[in-house]
Amino acid sequence: MSLVELISQADERGLAASGLACLDRCVPLLGGDDETLRPLWGSLAEGADGSAWGTSLEQVRGKLSGPEDADEDEAARLARRMLAAAPAEPAAAGIRVWADACSVASLQIHRLLDPATDAAPVDAHREGRTEGMSPLVAAELRRQVAVLELLAEHGAAGLRPALEVSTEGRRVLRAAVSRRARGRG
């Protein structure tokens, strides 16, 4: 099943986790660490207080948000926009739009950070056309699919493995950012 199909079939928790996982993998671009988004992940757990998402989101924005900087690169601007666009409640209409936008933005960020060439449109990859994908983009696509599949198969019990997938992706992105900085220096 393509990423677009998985997003279209996901429930609210799956969509929220999908968008959050994309943001989580890109949080190094905003100066965040491994614990920055933990409260948001916790707000998706079974039995969590319904207002926990909104409260946690405001705390995260307080830690990571800042005005777009003219010197900030495109990858960081895309990550900042993902955070800014997160809905106050993980409800169906808003969360589906956000999850979809985060998917596109995260793939684009990975494309910007990958020194390999990837000429195909990001939407083509999301629809299942994967030929010619650069390694970093291919790995991000696999992670996005894995998160949605884990939540679809396991519900709330899929949150921990989804977080593990995201943590691995965050480390990969952090390394890509570091390589790029060394290349510029």
Side-chain angles (χ1 to χ4, degrees), residues 21-38:
C22 289
L23 178 60
D24 196 0
R25 287 187 295 277
C26 297
V27 83
L29 293 165
L30 302 176
D33 61 26
D34 289 354
E35 300 300 315
T36 303
L37 299 181
R38 287 281 179 160

Side-chain angles (χ1 to χ4, degrees), residues 1 3 28-29 37 44 58 73 80 90 100 102 133 136 145 149 152 158-159 166 169 178:
M1 195 176 307
L3 179 59
L29 293 165
L37 299 181
L44 297 177
E58 287 310 310
D73 68 7
R80 191 165 308 288
D100 194 58
C102 286
M133 285 177 66
L136 204 57
V145 167
E149 288 175 343
L159 285 170
S166 189
S178 179

Side-chain angles (χ1 to χ4, degrees), residues 79-120:
R80 191 165 308 288
R81 289 178 194 147
M82 273 195 274
L83 176 59
E89 295 179 19
I95 204 72
R96 187 171 305 282
V97 169
W98 181 65
D100 194 58
C102 286
S103 169
V104 171
S106 186
L107 288 166
Q108 187 61 36
I109 286 167
H110 284 76
R111 173 184 275 174
L112 290 167
L113 296 173
D114 198 332
T117 304
D118 184 346

Side-chain angles (χ1 to χ4, degrees), residues 142-184:
R142 283 191 304 274
R143 286 184 196 93
Q144 288 187 26
V145 167
V147 165
L148 285 161
E149 288 175 343
L150 285 164
L151 273 290
E153 291 173 23
H154 304 291
L159 285 170
R160 182 170 300 281
L163 178 57
E164 290 169 4
V165 167
S166 189
T167 299
E168 179 222 348
R170 187 178 339 106
R171 289 182 184 128
V172 169
L173 186 119
R174 190 174 287 126
V177 168
S178 179
R179 272 192 308 276
R180 187 173 73 162
R182 282 192 310 266
R184 290 181 180 171

Side-chain angles (χ1 to χ4, degrees), residues 7-8 10-20 92 95-96 98-99 148:
I7 290 172
S8 73
D11 64 7
E12 289 178 353
R13 180 180 286 122
L15 292 167
S18 175
L20 181 56
I95 204 72
R96 187 171 305 282
W98 181 65
L148 285 161

